[in-house]
């Protein structure tokens, strides 16, 4: 028996007087407290959700429940993969949301950062964020920054589906925080901006002239600049991946991997709590490594497997899977595959606590 496996009582016996004194004053000896720490939340396990099962679930929910019948404050029709207490991990929430033709998911806002990654969309499926209608075309990634009004309006004749990714479990469960949330007085927020407005603020151009007081106008306010409302069109991202693949060497662990940048800073992470990357795997199996962050993956296209701790997660298009912290893993695409990688790495980096390492085979 190692020392760690011994019962604390066997190590040090307190007198009953001392024990009573401690209990009466809400004090405990460190060696007992330390022994219990780190066990409130279960360890994450590698897991996968197959698209055919998700599809059956979202179809069933859509058939049973109109959005209008959902209780106020929760008017989102979403199937949520569960692998931790209330989400896929203790930091990242991912869900698959549907809006039927003619439906609106009503306007609200909240403290959690959110994004949409379109699975099945069209030009006429719009997420309205901060006054602008953003079209949700396939594989587009659209931010919903903290405390910005957002509603989802389906003016097309097909059901739309997309991924929601939020940092909800970090705030609600891990930090035991309360969620600041507000419904808009209108079902649909007023559209106050023309399409492309937010891109004009945070896209390729920035104001060139100085204000009369010498300050540069626009979004130059330091590295804590909040993430703006923004749509990353998929065509540009895919073109960049293929340009890299045609000219550069892949990362040994992640293939050709491009992180979405915060448009206000030009640097990742996209959110202070979550980073997102598009990964092209076309060069055989990647080399195994591990890191102490949690990774959630969505398969944009292709088939293959990700080997996690000796377990093969076999994936195809639109499957969702999770790689726990510290788990050795590598990807093995059948041919060419593109993944959306989602990670809570920025949280660990903010505490100088991020670590990763290659594994020698
Ligand atoms: Fe929301």
């Amino acid at each position: 028996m190692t020392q760690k496996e011994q019962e604390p009582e066997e190590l040090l016996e307190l007198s009953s007087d001392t024990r009573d004194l401690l209990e009466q004053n809400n004090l405990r000896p460190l060696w007992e407290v330390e022994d219990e720490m780190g066990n409130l939340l279960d360890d994450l396990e590698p897991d996968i959700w197959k698209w055919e099962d998700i599809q059956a679930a979202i179809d069933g929910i859509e058939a049973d429940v109109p959005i209008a019948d959902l209780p106020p404050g929760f008017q989102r029709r979403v199937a949520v993969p569960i692998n931790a207490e209330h989400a896929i991990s203790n930091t990242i929430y991912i869900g698959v949301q549907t809006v039927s033709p003619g439906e609106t998911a009503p306007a609200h806002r909240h403290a959690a950062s959110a994004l949409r990654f379109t699975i099945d969309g069209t030009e006429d499926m719009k997420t309205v964020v901060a006054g602008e209608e953003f079209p949700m075309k396939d594989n587009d990634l659209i931010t919903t920054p903290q405390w910005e009004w957002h509603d989802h309006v389906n003016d097309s004749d097909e059901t739309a589906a997309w991924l929601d990714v939020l940092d909800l479990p970090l705030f609600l469960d891990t930090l035991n925080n309360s969620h600041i949330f507000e419904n808009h007085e209108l079902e649909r927020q007023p559209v106050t901006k023309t399409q492309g407005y937010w891109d004009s603020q945070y896209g390729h151009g920035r104001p060139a002239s100085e204000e009369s007081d010498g300050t540069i106008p626009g979004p130059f306010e330091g590295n804590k600049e909040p993430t703006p409302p923004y749509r990353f069109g998929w065509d540009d991202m895919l073109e960049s991946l293929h340009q890299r693949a045609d000219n550069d060497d892949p990362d040994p662990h992640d293939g050709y991997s491009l992180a979405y940048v915060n448009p206000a800073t030009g640097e990742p992470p996209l959110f202070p709590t979550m980073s997102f990357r598009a990964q092209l795997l076309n060069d055989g199996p990647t080399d195994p490594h591990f890191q102490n962050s949690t990774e959630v993956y969505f398969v944009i296209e292709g088939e293959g497997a990700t080997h996690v701790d000796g377990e093969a997660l076999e994936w195809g298009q639109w499957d969702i899977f999770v790689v726990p912290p510290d788990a050795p893993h590598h990807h093995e695409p059948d041919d060419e595959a593109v993944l959306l990688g989602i990670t809570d790495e920025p949280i660990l980096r903010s505490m100088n606590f991020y670590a990763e390492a290659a594994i020698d085979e």
Side-chain angles (χ1 to χ4, degrees):
M1 182 182 274
T2 65
Q3 185 164 332
K4 191 167 172 55
E5 288 167 331
Q6 280 182 305
E7 289 299 311
E9 286 78 4
E10 293 176 52
L11 289 169
L12 288 166
E13 196 70 50
L14 292 172
S15 71
S16 59
D17 284 352
T18 304
R19 171 101 25 215
D20 289 346
L21 190 68
L22 287 165
E23 283 182 10
Q24 285 162 17
N25 293 289
N26 289 331
L27 294 163
R28 292 187 68 193
L30 171 62
W31 60 88
E32 291 183 11
V33 177
E34 198 174 35
D35 201 50
E36 294 173 11
M37 278 184 173
N39 297 308
L40 281 181
L41 299 169
D42 289 336
D43 289 341
L44 215 57
E45 299 289 339
D47 207 350
I48 185 164
W49 290 260
K50 302 298 290 180
W51 176 253
E52 60 182 18
D53 299 329
I54 297 170
Q55 170 119 59
I58 60 175
D59 286 351
I61 299 176
E62 184 188 7
D64 291 352
V65 183
I67 293 172
D69 287 0
L70 290 164
F74 299 91
Q75 287 173 294
R76 296 292 188 263
R77 193 171 51 217
V78 185
V80 183
I82 302 292
N83 196 38
E85 195 67 29
H86 300 116
I88 202 165
S89 87
N90 295 317
T91 49
I92 297 166
Y93 159 106
I94 193 167
V96 180
Q97 179 166 176
T98 59
V99 174
S100 307
E103 276 191 318
T104 294
H108 68 205
R109 60 181 178 175
H110 41 68
S113 298
L115 75 69
R116 326 292 158 196
F117 189 87
T118 313
I119 299 171
D120 194 3
T122 74
E123 185 88 25
D124 293 325
M125 175 66 228
K126 287 159 293 192
T127 181
V128 189
V129 186
E132 179 178 340
E133 296 176 311
F134 292 90
M136 300 179 79
K137 294 194 284 188
D138 291 356
N139 300 333
D140 285 351
L141 183 153
I142 300 155
T143 64
T144 303
Q146 293 179 306
W147 208 237
E148 295 288 4
W149 296 113
H150 54 283
D151 41 292
H152 312 306
V153 180
N154 190 346
D155 287 333
S156 79
D157 53 11
E158 291 173 41
T159 295
W162 63 86
L163 292 180
D164 292 316
V165 188
L166 288 86
D167 47 18
L168 272 181
L170 173 72
F171 288 108
L172 295 188
D173 283 342
T174 306
L175 296 177
N176 198 30
N177 215 320
S178 57
H179 194 213
I180 305 165
F181 177 95
E182 187 179 10
N183 281 315
H184 201 285
E185 58 185 1
L186 302 172
E187 183 186 45
R188 296 185 177 190
Q189 68 177 292
V191 175
T192 57
K193 307 209 166 19
T194 50
Q195 283 194 354
Y197 170 77
W198 284 106
D199 189 60
S200 78
Q201 300 298 296
Y202 291 96
H204 299 298
R206 288 290 193 280
S209 58
E210 294 183 4
E211 302 280 15
S212 56
D213 65 359
T215 58
I216 304 283
F220 293 104
E221 294 174 11
N223 59 11
K224 292 293 183 187
E225 181 70 20
T227 310
Y230 204 78
R231 170 179 167 270
F232 296 85
W234 179 243
D235 293 348
D236 288 345
M237 191 54 109
L238 189 61
E239 168 69 13
S240 295
L241 284 173
H242 281 133
Q243 287 288 349
R244 300 265 175 163
D246 289 345
N247 294 281
D248 300 339
D249 293 327
D251 177 272
H253 308 295
D254 290 311
Y256 296 96
S257 179
L258 289 177
Y260 289 84
V261 300
N262 177 348
T265 63
E267 300 283 342
L270 183 55
F271 292 116
T273 48
M274 300 180 290
S275 189
F276 299 81
R277 54 183 190 243
Q279 293 180 228
L280 173 64
L281 306 172
N282 68 351
D283 198 29
T286 59
D287 293 342
H289 77 155
F290 69 93
Q291 73 284 314
N292 63 351
S293 53
T294 297
E295 289 182 336
V296 176
Y297 286 95
F298 173 72
V299 182
I300 297 172
E301 58 187 44
E303 295 180 346
T306 295
H307 303 267
V308 188
D309 248 343
E311 181 180 345
L313 303 175
E314 309 254 359
W315 40 257
Q317 192 182 33
W318 298 354
D319 292 350
I320 295 168
F321 60 96
V322 60
V323 177
D326 301 325
H329 61 277
H330 70 279
H331 305 297
E332 188 174 11
D334 285 355
D335 182 15
E336 180 172 303
V338 183
L339 307 179
L340 176 71
I342 304 163
T343 167
D344 62 2
E345 182 184 319
I347 303 170
L348 297 159
R349 285 196 182 278
S350 74
M351 299 183 287
N352 294 333
F353 198 58
Y354 178 72
E356 62 176 75
I359 298 168
D360 293 329
E361 284 181 297

